[in-house]
Amino acid sequence: HSYFAFIFQSLSFIYLQVSEEVNYITNMVRKDVLRTDRHHPFFSGTDDNSNVKSLFNILTTYSLNHPSVGYCQGMSDLASPLLVTMKDEAQAYVCFCSLMSRVNSNFHIDGDAMTLKFQHLTEALLYYDAEFFSYLQHHQADDLLFCYRWLLLELKREFAFDDAQFMLEVLWSSIPPNPPEKSLDLVEVPFNPVKVAPSVPSTPRQNHYANVCALRRQRSCVSNKSAESLAAILHRRAASVDFPNSISQHVLNRTFSQSNNHDFKLRNSMSEGECATSPISPVHGIKEESSSPEDSPSRSVRKIKDLKEFKKLTSKKDGAKGNDNSLESTPQKENNSVGLSRQNGTKDMFSESRRCYSDSDADIGVPVIDGGDVDVWQNPISTVSPEDESQIRNCCSGRETIFYKCLSSDKM
Amino acid sequence: MASVKVPEQKVILCGEYGVGKTSLFRRFATNTFVTSTDRKSTLGLDHYEKVYMTDEHQGVKLQLWDTGGMERVASITSSYYKFAEAAILVFSLDSPDSFNILSQHLLDIVTYAENAKIFLCGNKYDLKNQIHVTDADMETFCEQCHNLISGTYKTSCKTGQGVEEMFIDISKQLGEANRSRKELDSLNKNSFKITPPEGEPEDSCIC
């Protein structure tokens, strides 16, 4: 009796896991298909439009059978013109699989392909229009993030639907053909609703720890930079006052041990591996998170004997990671005036805070330089003027065009 | 033209797909609302600035950032959070799932933007008979977060209810934080002043 109960339990557990995976994907897909090209007569009307359902089926089927890709926002935009053209769910699915075999890396969790595309775009822009690039740099937009949607959707959303169909046809047919050797794979790993899939698609959430750890590594470098700049400032100050060393030393001591006289301690540095695997439960971990030593180098209270030692400490770049991780810290958040002054130091370095440009959303594509004056919702190319058309033609036919290069650089 | 320098405060929107981040953004930017068929998923980044007067003389420039679909590019995620002064955790009052996942977003905020003030915003308040996240749930959440949450709001982007009030309140809180930080700064500056010990330097310099 208990044996059966056990079997039943484990089965229901498996069922729960699988349905969780299905739920996760269908929830995302549902939200997206309900807001994909609903303007077009093909998808218009109520939410139970059968074409919307077809789009849902295509994307869910693809995501469940391609666990390495899963579902990612933007895929619905690529599937929709295929469905409108093929007018048949199964055929559109085949087309979608074929298209995705070329572009699936754009939707991968690691983001490597997109990062590479941004890199290519930067290089191309530097080569073809260095002046424009320096303009972008001037406005802190040289990260080119406003091109994200252009690159991900191959410009699909930047045109009215019918124009986009035309443009995509020209664009896709100008890419050198790369047919599959045998037949096109419609499935990467067949989805098995009974067994737990061996590789559950990793979602951004599941990859969270990796991200956090990468970020920490990045940040410990940044905090070192800010410490360095502070050291430089203090050094200059001490030099300009031109007092004996004992005084600049005094300044340093005050800077780093003002509110508390905690001694500067170096624990045996915790290895990064440990830091990476230390379990942090989401809600519970927050307190720990916000006051954990490696998280708050800026708040840590240190006492440094002399300028030499301080310089030595701050000049270590990568080696200092461990130090940053192991500095004793106090869990005060805002009362520590020293911490604040240091944080401001960091801010000053970057005070020209980054600007990204309006690209996102819905109906728009106008870069907004300073908010305010520009109408954010205006779509510059919702209808194509003759000049634009010739531009598009140039864009599509010229093999040297920047976008063409970037779009076709799918291979790493 | 004389212009008064208004401090710029970066405010970011965080939350699950489809809870209404872009709707909030649109209310903020143009005070409009579009029907579901006109909506598209957000891919990319957008930001918009607006000045709120916290009192007669003092204004705060809120710079609201909206993003979506770029979770897969790690470098973008971190630059989105970087230097945020405030973060609005948005969930949909009719969807417990969107509420329960907030702890993840909260974790993101405290790691990527450790100094940001955090606000909780329940959207879609107009769906009166479908509200599944209660005030008690929100309170419990705030307690669990050790009072990291600086304010909770219920809004409806459809009707516009509570949206403007939320941004006004956020700008007030940021204005205050800004002022107290300035005071601390000036205190700090003064504390660095050094008066040379009398007589000593000359003596010690003679070798």
Side-chain angles (χ1 to χ4, degrees):
Chain A
H1 177 73
S2 64
Y3 178 73
F4 282 113
F6 172 74
I7 293 228
F8 178 75
Q9 251 180 1
S10 52
L11 267 179
S12 64
F13 172 71
I14 288 168
Y15 176 74
L16 207 77
Q17 273 215 326
V18 171
S19 66
E20 229 169 64
E21 183 196 345
V22 174
N23 266 345
Y24 180 78
I25 285 177
T26 52
N27 268 337
M28 284 192 296
V29 174
R30 194 175 298 116
K31 274 174 193 159
D32 275 359
V33 295
L34 289 179
R35 48 183 185 176
T36 301
D37 298 320
R38 296 299 297 281
H39 268 313
H40 196 277
F42 193 75
F43 293 114
S44 67
T46 51
D47 286 355
D48 55 2
N49 179 329
S50 65
N51 293 325
V52 174
K53 278 185 186 157
S54 285
L55 189 61
F56 173 85
N57 291 342
I58 292 170
L59 292 167
T60 310
T61 309
Y62 182 85
S63 306
L64 289 173
N65 288 296
H66 295 77
S68 75
V69 186
Y71 181 75
C72 177
Q73 275 191 309
M75 278 158 66
S76 64
D77 280 277
L78 290 181
S80 123
L82 293 174
L83 183 59
V84 171
T85 307
M86 304 310 290
K87 296 188 180 63
D88 177 86
E89 191 179 309
Q91 289 187 22
Y93 179 76
V94 175
C95 293
F96 186 63
C97 285
S98 173
L99 173 64
M100 286 300 282
S101 69
R102 181 172 63 86
V103 299
N104 72 68
S105 60
N106 292 349
F107 297 97
H108 273 190
I109 185 78
D110 54 24
D112 286 351
M114 286 307 289
T115 310
L116 187 75
K117 280 208 164 67
F118 276 116
Q119 202 181 314
H120 287 170
L121 187 61
T122 308
E123 280 166 24
L125 203 52
L126 265 173
Y127 180 79
Y128 288 103
D129 198 345
E131 199 185 330
F132 180 56
F133 190 77
S134 68
Y135 171 82
L136 290 175
Q137 266 177 325
H138 180 69
H139 290 281
Q140 285 102 44
D142 50 322
D143 51 22
L144 301 174
L145 289 186
F146 61 91
C147 304
Y148 180 77
R149 191 177 67 197
W150 308 354
L151 293 172
L152 186 75
L153 303 184
E154 314 210 313
L155 300 173
K156 183 256 179 186
R157 262 209 215 166
E158 318 313 315
F159 297 89
F161 192 88
D162 293 335
D163 296 330
Q165 267 188 311
F166 175 70
M167 185 275 300
L168 284 177
E169 184 162 3
V170 175
L171 182 70
W172 288 346
S173 58
S174 65
I175 292 171
N178 184 20
E181 275 168 30
K182 291 175 201 160
S183 60
L184 179 73
D185 281 331
L186 300 181
V187 162
E188 181 192 47
V189 179
F191 176 67
N192 189 342
V194 183
K195 221 176 64 194
V196 178
S199 59
V200 179
S202 51
T203 64
R205 297 290 153 221
Q206 280 160 335
N207 207 15
H208 189 72
Y209 289 128
N211 285 346
V212 170
C213 292
L215 197 89
R216 274 195 190 144
R217 252 171 273 135
Q218 209 179 318
R219 207 181 24 209
S220 67
C221 291
V222 172
S223 67
N224 271 332
K225 265 190 218 154
S226 70
E228 242 169 348
S229 77
L230 185 76
I233 291 166
L234 285 174
H235 185 63
R236 238 180 290 132
R237 220 182 251 187
S240 69
V241 178
D242 203 15
F243 284 140
N245 261 347
S246 62
I247 291 182
S248 60
Q249 186 187 319
H250 174 67
V251 176
L252 275 176
N253 281 343
R254 282 193 59 185
T255 320
F256 291 97
S257 60
Q258 203 170 30
S259 35
N260 254 310
N261 268 335
H262 278 214
D263 275 354
F264 174 64
K265 281 182 201 165
L266 272 176
R267 270 194 261 128
N268 279 336
S269 32
M270 202 193 343
S271 77
E272 269 187 56
E274 274 175 58
C275 146
T277 50
S278 70
I280 308 166
S281 67
V283 173
H284 189 71
I286 284 156
K287 192 75 187 181
E288 182 192 338
E289 199 53 32
S290 62
S291 60
S292 68
E294 62 267 55
D295 208 28
S296 53
S298 53
R299 284 179 229 128
S300 48
V301 177
R302 316 164 188 195
K303 188 169 182 178
I304 293 163
K305 279 188 197 126
D306 59 24
L307 203 62
K308 232 189 212 166
E309 194 192 321
F310 180 67
K311 273 191 193 159
K312 207 169 83 188
L313 207 98
T314 50
S315 66
K316 280 185 212 160
K317 277 204 172 138
D318 287 4
K321 260 185 247 165
N323 295 347
D324 256 325
N325 282 347
S326 55
L327 285 170
E328 281 281 356
S329 88
T330 51
Q332 300 163 316
K333 191 160 183 184
E334 305 199 321
N335 321 341
N336 189 337
S337 54
V338 176
L340 272 173
S341 83
R342 288 199 59 204
Q343 281 162 19
N344 286 344
T346 325
K347 285 247 165 76
D348 285 343
M349 284 174 53
F350 304 99
S351 67
E352 299 253 304
S353 71
R354 299 161 55 92
R355 276 285 161 63
C356 294
Y357 296 95
S358 149
D359 171 287
S360 68
D361 191 79
D363 0 276
I364 40 129
V366 181
V368 174
I369 307 298
D370 245 322
D373 302 332
V374 188
D375 178 8
V376 196
W377 309 113
Q378 183 196 344
N379 189 345
I381 32 180
S382 54
T383 52
V384 182
S385 69
E387 300 110 88
D388 287 335
E389 212 168 82
S390 69
Q391 252 181 343
I392 296 163
R393 217 169 291 126
N394 284 342
C395 192
C396 296
S397 62
R399 294 262 151 159
E400 295 295 314
T401 349
I402 298 172
F403 267 107
Y404 178 80
K405 278 196 161 177
C406 288
L407 291 174
S408 54
S409 64
D410 292 306
K411 297 258 157 57
M412 312 271 283
Chain B
M1 269 207 287
S3 63
V4 184
K5 175 92 177 104
V6 184
E8 211 169 77
Q9 308 280 333
K10 175 175 170 182
V11 182
I12 57 175
L13 290 167
C14 305
E16 275 308 281
Y17 287 175
V19 294
K21 294 186 295 295
T22 303
S23 291
L24 267 178
F25 181 81
R26 191 168 299 159
R27 274 279 172 210
F28 177 82
T30 57
N31 197 18
T32 51
F33 181 75
V34 294
T35 51
S36 58
T37 50
D38 288 342
R39 267 179 237 137
K40 285 184 184 175
S41 60
T42 308
L43 284 175
L45 260 176
D46 207 347
H47 71 69
Y48 190 84
E49 288 171 354
K50 206 165 153 186
V51 176
Y52 282 90
M53 297 310 286
T54 46
D55 60 54
E56 279 172 31
H57 314 290
Q58 198 81 49
V60 171
K61 190 187 270 176
L62 289 195
Q63 186 181 65
L64 191 66
W65 288 54
D66 180 31
T67 188
M70 296 203 291
E71 293 85 352
R72 302 204 168 195
V73 188
S75 61
I76 295 175
T77 315
S78 59
S79 71
Y80 179 65
Y81 286 91
K82 222 187 269 170
F83 308 127
E85 302 286 342
I88 306 176
L89 280 171
V90 190
F91 67 97
S92 171
L93 283 164
D94 69 329
S95 155
D97 283 347
S98 76
F99 179 69
N100 293 330
I101 199 126
L102 285 184
S103 54
Q104 299 266 18
H105 290 279
L106 191 63
L107 186 62
D108 280 345
I109 296 168
V110 294
T111 37
Y112 291 71
E114 49 180 312
N115 300 314
K117 275 181 173 287
I118 302 167
F119 302 89
L120 186 64
C121 170
N123 194 24
K124 308 195 187 174
Y125 194 35
D126 52 283
L127 301 172
K128 292 284 180 221
N129 48 2
Q130 295 169 45
I131 288 179
H132 295 300
V133 181
T134 62
D135 290 359
D137 292 335
M138 288 164 75
E139 262 168 48
T140 318
F141 179 78
C142 292
E143 275 166 30
Q144 278 176 340
C145 304
H146 307 280
N147 301 319
L148 263 170
I149 311 288
S150 308
T152 60
Y153 312 93
K154 283 185 280 191
T155 60
S156 162
C157 288
K158 193 173 182 178
T159 63
Q161 184 194 354
V163 178
E164 194 64 9
E165 289 86 339
M166 175 176 78
F167 286 117
I168 290 172
D169 192 57
I170 290 174
S171 59
K172 268 185 191 151
Q173 293 209 31
L174 289 181
E176 270 163 37
N178 215 30
R179 212 166 310 136
S180 56
R181 190 165 47 197
K182 264 185 199 156
E183 278 161 21
L184 258 178
D185 265 4
S186 63
L187 263 178
N188 228 20
K189 256 177 213 152
N190 294 336
S191 69
F192 274 125
K193 273 184 190 157
I194 305 150
T195 45
E198 281 164 33
E200 251 181 68
E202 281 125 66
D203 293 339
S204 59
C205 274
I206 296 165
C207 304

